[in-house]
Amino acid sequence: LFALSCPYNTHNASAAHSIYSTQGAEIYNIQMTITPTNCLRVIVSILLYFNIFSFLHGFYSEAATFTHQTAFTTTFSLKHKLTKTTSSKIMSSSSPEIITTETTDFNQPVCLYHQVTIPTSQEGPPAQKISVEDLTPTLTSLLIKSQMKNGVVNIVSRHTTTAITINEKESRLAQDMEQYFLSLAPPDERSSSIAKQDGVRYYHNDIDQRPDSTEEAQRCIENGWDIHDENELQKWRDQEPINAHSHLLSMLLGSSESVPVVDGNMVIGQWQSVLLVDLDGPRDRTVGIQFMGYK
């Protein structure tokens, strides 16, 4: 562009510029008359060069952004659905086979939250027993009602002594889980659990010393307990369970899970179920279930 803006003038030239290659050979010999018109041509040519470069760079960036849009991008909307499944495997006996399902569906969005009460399958009053409840049928039913085809379902426990996990729902495995968990965190010798062990004590279970912080005292007040009244304080202490081991096991297992939904189905394995593990039961429990995606 610089060369085109410089008219050749072999007569009365006031300036000459030579362009050389990396080997030193002269490629162009440009002679130009330095006049206000030629200077303006040079300036215009430089501006045009950078404007064209910026346009091309911006066009490429927009194209790249559009190409990498996913099913949850909200910057544009498509009225059709495209599902493409591809399978690839690197040529090696130890390499994994990758099956990719690419779905683009930008119809009506879905954002639903349910608070669901899960009745216990065990009998008897609360006795710090460990039980396992299968949430999968409930999740499947709610998913069908939501009409969500692609997205994610989030499941969260609403208690500090329950957990959410994904594994097999099998009665004898549930017994193994109970024995194993109680070996990891045995119940306090002061608890009502039949599995309590002598010599085992947890700070959390020193009910007569609680609340021992301003934060816990404030939580008691916010939950309706006037702990500044001695009688009310004793009532709170009497109802507080000896369940520190249940809290610890809940922390180990985790309180939430997220499951992808593709083509209207939860993406879990053949023998997998979404489980609520009650670590201080049996009691009816509540879970939060949220669907986010597209119909």
Side-chain angles (χ1 to χ4, degrees):
L1 290 173
F2 182 82
L4 291 175
S5 69
C6 302
Y8 290 97
N9 191 341
T10 57
H11 302 286
N12 195 26
S14 57
H17 300 275
S18 296
I19 301 176
Y20 294 87
S21 69
T22 56
Q23 289 75 23
E26 186 178 28
I27 300 176
Y28 300 108
N29 185 275
I30 301 174
Q31 293 182 330
M32 61 174 286
T33 303
I34 299 179
T35 65
T37 302
N38 287 342
C39 290
L40 182 60
R41 287 175 176 171
V42 171
I43 294 172
V44 171
S45 298
I46 293 173
L47 291 176
L48 284 174
Y49 170 79
F50 283 106
N51 282 337
I52 293 172
F53 176 81
S54 300
F55 171 79
L56 292 176
H57 181 268
F59 178 81
Y60 174 79
S61 298
E62 289 295 325
T65 301
F66 180 85
T67 302
H68 289 86
Q69 299 286 1
T70 64
F72 294 99
T73 306
T74 57
T75 55
F76 65 95
S77 177
L78 299 178
K79 294 301 182 181
H80 68 281
K81 175 181 176 182
L82 172 64
T83 301
K84 180 175 65 176
T85 302
T86 60
S87 177
S88 62
K89 185 172 183 178
I90 302 174
M91 298 304 295
S92 173
S93 58
S94 61
S95 298
E97 182 178 5
I98 302 174
I99 299 177
T100 302
T101 301
E102 179 182 349
T103 304
T104 306
D105 192 347
F106 294 94
N107 293 323
Q108 185 176 352
V110 174
C111 185
L112 296 172
Y113 176 80
H114 305 278
Q115 181 176 305
V116 181
T117 299
I118 307 298
T120 180
S121 60
Q122 306 293 317
E123 297 180 355
Q128 297 188 337
K129 295 182 63 177
I130 294 178
S131 59
V132 180
E133 310 296 341
D134 191 356
L135 301 179
T136 311
T138 300
L139 294 172
T140 302
S141 175
L142 291 175
L143 176 59
I144 294 173
K145 291 179 181 179
S146 74
Q147 300 181 28
M148 187 175 76
K149 297 302 181 183
N150 296 282
V152 64
V153 54
N154 301 306
I155 310 100
V156 61
S157 164
R158 302 187 69 254
H159 306 277
T160 58
T161 56
T162 61
I164 304 293
T165 190
I166 297 178
N167 215 292
E168 182 178 359
K169 177 62 172 74
E170 195 274 321
S171 58
R172 299 185 72 85
L173 178 60
Q175 297 178 44
D176 293 332
M177 292 167 62
E178 181 176 18
Q179 292 184 10
Y180 178 67
F181 293 153
L182 292 177
S183 70
L184 288 177
D188 195 299
E189 63 180 0
R190 297 166 289 181
S191 76
S192 59
S193 171
I194 60 174
K196 62 184 179 181
Q197 292 188 16
D198 293 337
V200 175
R201 282 177 172 256
Y202 299 94
Y203 293 115
H204 178 72
N205 295 335
D206 296 333
I207 308 298
D208 60 323
Q209 301 180 37
R210 293 174 52 199
D212 66 349
S213 68
T214 56
E215 292 82 3
E216 185 180 17
Q218 183 61 34
R219 285 196 299 270
C220 291
I221 294 172
E222 290 173 352
N223 283 281
W225 296 95
D226 183 10
I227 57 174
H228 299 298
D229 180 273
E230 289 295 328
N231 293 329
E232 193 76 5
L233 174 61
Q234 190 57 48
K235 288 180 181 179
W236 176 79
R237 288 173 172 170
D238 291 341
Q239 61 84 43
E240 188 71 5
I242 309 294
N243 63 353
H245 71 288
S246 303
H247 289 283
L248 297 175
L249 290 171
S250 174
M251 296 177 200
L252 289 176
L253 287 173
S255 60
S256 65
E257 291 285 353
S258 295
V259 181
V261 175
V262 177
D263 291 337
N265 297 304
M266 290 189 296
V267 183
I268 55 177
Q270 180 181 3
W271 297 102
Q272 285 184 319
S273 294
V274 182
L275 305 176
L276 168 69
V277 183
D278 190 344
L279 301 159
D280 188 19
R283 286 188 277 177
D284 294 347
R285 300 292 200 165
T286 60
V287 296
I289 302 172
Q290 184 182 54
F291 295 92
M292 297 187 68
Y294 293 88
K295 291 185 178 181

